[in-house]
């Protein structure tokens, strides 16, 4: 029996093409697939050979989540991405105009957080020495 792993997370965004571009810039990921989706929408699958983020946008305008989801069951609190070079990744994120916060060194790694254009919080973590 194989070991289970997380294949993807599906999030609603305003512009899946723009989300794909940001993920390519930040992490070097590629668009694995793009096409028509539920309710006349569009989805982009952006990631690597084993996992990806599905960035979905319906055919109608969406509304942002108000506040944080930490007090709502079923809420998406953040998406964590492991990188080899935390400092270089943070520089790419900052170069895109994003403010990073909550920097922490902890056993066994280091991390920081930031919010993207859709209000999705990302945790970037590195376990490299």
């Amino acid at each position: 029996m194989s070991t289970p792993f997380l294949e993807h997370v599906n999030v609603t965004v305003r512009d899946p093409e723009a989300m794909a571009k940001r993920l390519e810039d930040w992490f070097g990921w590629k668009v694995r697939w793009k096409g028509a989706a539920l309710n006349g929408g569009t989805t982009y699958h952006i990631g690597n050979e084993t996992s990806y983020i599905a960035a979905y946008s319906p055919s109608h305008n969406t509304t942002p989540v108000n506040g944080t989801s930490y007090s709502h069951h079923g809420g998406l609190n953040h998406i964590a991405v492991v990188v080899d070079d935390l400092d270089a990744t943070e520089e790419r994120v900052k170069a895109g105009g994003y403010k990073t916060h909550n920097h922490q060194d902890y056993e066994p790694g280091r991390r920081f957080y930031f919010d993207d254009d859709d209000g999705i919080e990302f945790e970037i973590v590195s376990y490299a020495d």
Side-chain angles (χ1 to χ4, degrees):
M1 180 158 135
S2 65
T3 301
F5 68 94
L6 183 64
E7 182 200 32
H8 75 274
V9 175
N10 187 314
V11 295
T12 299
V13 299
R14 288 176 286 191
D15 183 345
E17 184 176 9
M19 171 70 125
K21 176 71 172 108
R22 291 191 304 267
L23 294 172
E24 288 175 348
D25 291 346
W26 298 335
F27 310 125
W29 290 351
K30 300 297 178 202
V31 173
R32 295 171 36 146
W33 177 85
K34 64 182 177 181
L38 180 71
N39 296 325
T42 302
T43 297
Y44 278 62
H45 293 179
I46 314 101
N48 59 33
E49 60 279 347
T50 60
S51 63
Y52 61 94
I53 293 177
Y56 164 77
S57 181
S59 60
H60 56 81
N61 288 334
T62 58
T63 57
V65 173
N66 289 326
T68 68
S69 62
Y70 284 93
S71 62
H72 302 282
H73 59 267
L76 174 69
N77 298 321
H78 62 259
I79 298 172
V81 178
V82 176
V83 298
D84 290 330
D85 190 333
L86 190 70
D87 297 327
T89 303
E90 184 170 15
E91 288 306 314
R92 288 192 298 275
V93 169
K94 286 180 172 180
Y98 302 92
K99 293 183 180 183
T100 60
H101 59 88
N102 200 16
H103 295 77
Q104 302 235 338
D105 290 353
Y106 67 105
E107 185 60 40
R110 298 171 45 222
R111 67 179 174 208
F112 69 88
Y113 294 79
F114 70 96
D115 298 326
D116 81 346
D117 296 352
D118 291 295
I120 298 168
E121 184 179 61
F122 282 83
E123 175 186 359
I124 311 304
V125 62
S126 177
Y127 299 111
D129 292 333

